[in-house]
Amino acid sequence: MIDETAQSRPLSGFDKARIQADCGFAMRQLRRAAERLMEIAGPGSFGASSPLQRLWRDLSLGNLALLADIRPAA
């Protein structure tokens, strides 16, 4: 989304902040959904061979990476 918009016009600080906030909200919703699936699936879903565990882990780490990438506005 940022790349498409940036090609047509410069992004304002508000635009950049809004996109980052929307991405953060989407990641939080995905992580909550994955956590709920893990709860429903039960303890076996936390096994290392479980595809659901991999999805849960990847979403959790992706969420942390997004949080770590917050930079102050220039």
Side-chain angles (χ1 to χ4, degrees), residues 9-51:
R9 65 180 174 84
L11 292 174
S12 69
F14 177 80
D15 291 334
K16 292 176 186 177
R18 180 61 192 231
I19 291 168
Q20 188 171 14
D22 288 346
C23 288
F25 177 76
M27 283 299 295
R28 183 175 54 199
Q29 294 299 95
L30 285 168
R31 189 168 156 227
R32 286 180 177 173
E35 287 173 359
R36 183 70 177 132
L37 285 172
M38 294 295 280
E39 290 171 5
I40 292 169
S45 63
F46 286 94
S49 63
S50 170

